[in-house]
Amino acid sequence: MKADILLGLQWGDEGKGKIVDVLAPDYDIVARFQGGPNAGHTLEFDGHKHILRSIPSGVFAKGAITNIIGNGVVLDPVLFRKEAAELEADGVDLHEILRISKKAHLIMPTHRLLDAAGEAQMGAGKIGTTGKGIGPTYSDKISRHGLRVGDILDDNFDTIYAAARDRHLRTLKNMDAVIDTEALAKNEQEWLDALEYLRSFNLSDTEHYVNKALSNGNSILCEGAQGTMLDIDFGSYPFVTSSNTVAAGACTGLGLAPSRIGKVYGIFKAYCTRVGSGPFPTELFDATGEEIRSIGHEYGAVTGRERRCGWLDLVALRYSVMINGATDLILMKSDVLDTFDTIKVCTAYRLPDGTVTSDFPYCVGHNAEGKADVEPIYDELPGWLTDISAARRESELPQAFRDYIAYIEKHVGVPVSIISVGPDREETIVRS
Ligand code: GDP
Ligand code: IMO
Ligand code: MG
C-alpha cells in the first residue's frame, strides 16, 4: 500500500480539514506531518462545526481509523489538552484512536514569549504569526535544543525543562523583552499539569507503526497544515511558517520513504486568501475583495483575523503543483463566486522591470501596505450566476462552471477530482 497526501496549494485555509474528514472513511490511518496549533481545520456535519488544530481530521470517521500526530508536528500540551478534552466530551474515544510520536517537539510557554518578542522587534516588518510559538519551537529543533514528547517520560524531565526555559529567558533578556513573571509562572504550572494528560496517551515511535501498517496492506492519508506558499523553503520567505508544508514534509514528518507515497491531493480555493503579512500578487483592496471575504466568511478559524482576499493565481498554483507533484486537484469554495458576473484568473505576472513571466519568481516584493510589486495579468471568464451549493453530482453543475474547471485543468495540467460546493461534509462532489 502507498500513503496518499492531502495538502494546501495556496496560503493555507483551503479547506483541508473538510476534505480529510470526507476522505477518511476510505483510509485506515490519518496522520498529521507538520505544523501545530497554528493550524485551524474546520469540519462541518450534522449541523455541527468542529475546529481541529493539532489533532488529525480523521477523528470523526466511523470505523477503526487510527489518527497519528507525527514527528514533524510541534505540540503545545495545554492547547492539546483543551482540544482533546472537547473531543472526548463529544464522544470521540481519543485515547483509543490517537497515537502521538515521541519525536514530535514540545511548544513551551517561553516559546510563545519568544514568538511575541520576535514579532515586536520586527515592528512593521513583522511576519504576522499566529503567536503560538511555532517559529521558536522549530528553531530549537533545528539548533538541537528542543524538547520532545518522549522526554516527558524521562525521570529527569523537570531538570531538562528548567534548563531549556532558562536558556529562553536569557534570550528574552537579550531581546529586552518585558516578562510578566507571575503570568509565566501560572502558564508553566498549567503546562506541567497538561503533561500528565499527555502522558495518558499512546506515545510511541510512530514511524514504525506507519511503515508496518503500509507493509500489512493498510492505507494512510497524510494531512498537511498551512499551504505550499507558506513553506519554509518554497513559500514567500521570510513571510512563511517554519516547517515544510510540501509533499516532502510528509516523508520527513512521518518517517515515510518517497517510494511509499501514492497520490498527492492538492487542495485550493476558487480564489486566494492570505492571513498575516507578506506578498500576495492578486490581492484585492476594493469592494470585490470585501465581497469575497463576506460571502466566503474569510476570517481566521482560530484567531478570527480578517483574511486578505484576491483572485485565483495560476502562476502560484502551477508552482505549487510542480513542487508537490500533485496528482489530483481539489477545488473548494466555488459557491462563494456564484453571484459574480465575471471571474478573473491570473495567468502571468509583469515584473517591476517590465518582463512578463508565468513562472513564480524568486522574490515578490511588496510595499508597506502589503501591495505586491508584480502586476497580475488576468484572463476574464464568464460567471455561472447559479447557486451551485445544492449540486451533488457533476451533471447538476452549470455549463459555465464546468468550463471554468476545464480551463483550470488545462492551465495546470492536473485533473480536478473533487469539487466542494459548501462547508458541510455532504456538500462535496467526487468526480468519477
Ligand atoms: P483548512 O485550514 O484548510 O482546514 O481550512 P479552514 O477550516 O481554515 O478554512 C476553510 C473554511 O471554509 C472553513 O470555514 C470551512 O467550513 C469553509 N469551507 C470549506 N469548504 C467550503 C466550500 O466548498 N464552500 C464554502 N462556502 N465554505 C467552505
Ligand atoms: P491552516 O492549517 C493560514 C500563517 C500566519 C503567518 C505565517 C507564520 O489552518 O491552513 P506561524 O504562526 O506559523 O509562525 O505564522 O503563517 N499561518 C497560516 N495561515 N492557515 C494556517 O494554517 C496558517 N498557519 C500559519 O498567519 O502569516
Ligand atoms: Mg485553517
Side-chain angles (χ1 to χ4, degrees):
M1 268 289 186
K2 300 270 188 189
D4 295 342
I5 302 173
L6 185 147
L7 48 77
L9 295 177
Q10 296 166 322
W11 285 271
D13 302 327
E14 296 91 347
K16 299 174 289 292
K18 167 184 164 163
I19 299 298
V20 169
D21 172 63
V22 167
L23 295 178
D26 298 339
Y27 290 88
D28 299 302
I29 296 170
V30 174
R32 271 281 300 270
F33 57 88
Q34 46 67 234
N38 48 348
H41 295 179
T42 315
L43 285 63
E44 277 190 47
F45 51 88
D46 301 339
H48 292 286
K49 182 167 161 174
H50 303 269
I51 296 173
L52 297 171
R53 306 180 61 182
S54 301
I55 295 174
S57 302
V59 286
F60 291 106
K62 301 259 181 314
I65 293 186
T66 300
N67 285 263
I68 292 178
I69 295 179
N71 56 279
V73 172
V74 289
L75 198 64
D76 181 328
V78 173
L79 295 178
F80 170 76
R81 179 175 61 180
K82 187 168 178 291
E83 186 179 341
E86 278 171 17
L87 288 172
E88 294 203 303
D90 274 345
V92 176
D93 189 358
L94 211 57
H95 277 83
E96 183 61 29
I97 62 172
L98 184 68
R99 286 167 180 261
I100 303 173
S101 170
K102 283 160 76 176
K103 296 187 176 70
H105 278 246
L106 291 170
I107 303 176
M108 296 167 54
T110 38
H111 281 131
R112 286 219 218 178
L113 296 181
L114 287 164
D115 195 351
E119 288 282 87
Q121 253 185 358
M122 284 192 278
K126 69 178 183 185
I127 311 273
T129 72
T130 58
K132 298 291 178 283
I134 304 295
T137 307
Y138 278 115
S139 298
D140 271 356
K141 172 178 176 175
I142 299 302
S143 63
R144 297 158 294 182
H145 287 113
L147 298 192
R148 301 190 291 175
V149 167
D151 292 337
I152 68 173
L153 306 174
D154 192 311
D155 289 340
N156 287 323
F157 180 72
D158 286 355
T159 316
I160 302 171
Y161 169 76
R165 179 208 47 209
D166 291 347
R167 198 170 49 76
H168 292 163
L169 290 176
R170 285 194 295 277
T171 309
L172 285 161
K173 199 170 165 214
N174 287 339
M175 294 170 90
D176 292 328
V178 180
I179 298 166
D180 179 341
T181 43
E182 221 170 281
L184 176 60
K186 194 167 151 272
N187 291 340
E188 278 190 284
Q189 196 49 54
E190 196 186 9
W191 193 85
L192 293 167
D193 290 347
L195 292 184
E196 271 317 306
Y197 182 69
L198 186 55
R199 283 189 192 99
S200 69
F201 280 84
N202 181 326
L203 312 178
S204 54
D205 295 313
T206 51
E207 63 275 27
H208 289 293
Y209 185 82
V210 291
N211 280 288
K212 279 184 192 150
L214 289 175
S215 298
N216 291 336
N218 293 315
S219 55
I220 304 181
L221 180 61
C222 310
E223 174 180 2
Q226 290 79 56
T228 302
M229 301 312 287
L230 290 171
D231 179 84
I232 184 74
D233 282 280
F234 299 104
S236 42
Y237 193 88
F239 300 98
V240 292
T241 191
S242 298
S243 64
N244 279 120
T245 60
V246 296
C251 295
T252 55
L254 288 166
L256 292 172
S259 56
R260 291 286 205 183
I261 304 303
K263 286 186 181 193
V264 179
Y265 288 102
I267 185 164
F268 69 107
K269 297 192 237 206
Y271 50 90
C272 290
T273 62
R274 174 165 201 165
V275 208
S277 324
F280 179 2
T282 61
E283 181 167 12
L284 292 164
F285 297 90
D286 58 6
T288 308
E290 285 288 340
E291 209 177 337
I292 294 177
R293 183 178 308 115
S294 149
I295 302 173
H297 304 293
E298 293 297 354
Y299 297 90
V302 177
T303 56
R305 286 188 292 176
E306 261 190 13
R307 294 178 183 152
R308 300 155 65 191
C309 296
W311 293 115
L312 181 63
D313 182 342
L314 290 183
V315 179
L317 194 68
R318 275 194 300 263
Y319 181 72
S320 295
V321 162
M322 173 184 82
I323 296 293
N324 292 301
T327 57
D328 294 72
L329 296 178
I330 304 179
L331 173 59
M332 309 298 290
K333 300 191 87 160
S334 305
D335 53 295
V336 172
L337 304 182
D338 278 353
T339 54
F340 286 65
D341 291 320
T342 303
I343 292 174
K344 287 195 187 183
V345 179
C346 167
T347 56
Y349 299 156
R350 182 167 290 109
L351 303 178
D353 69 2
T355 54
V356 171
T357 181
S358 52
D359 287 338
F360 197 80
Y362 165 69
C363 180
V364 177
H366 62 109
N367 67 14
E369 285 76 51
K371 192 166 178 351
D373 67 0
V374 299
E375 182 199 334
I377 297 174
Y378 290 110
D379 261 1
E380 293 195 7
L381 308 180
W384 39 93
L385 298 172
T386 311
D387 175 2
I388 58 169
S389 63
R392 295 293 173 270
R393 265 189 286 261
E394 196 179 347
S395 57
E396 294 163 14
L397 295 170
Q399 189 57 46
F401 179 50
R402 285 196 264 168
D403 291 346
Y404 169 78
I405 297 172
Y407 173 95
I408 293 172
E409 289 177 320
K410 182 169 154 244
H411 280 78
V412 177
V414 178
V416 172
S417 356
I418 300 174
I419 302 158
S420 171
V421 293
D424 194 275
R425 213 187 238 175
E426 301 296 323
E427 292 170 315
T428 313
I429 299 170
V430 179
R431 294 171 101 189
S432 48

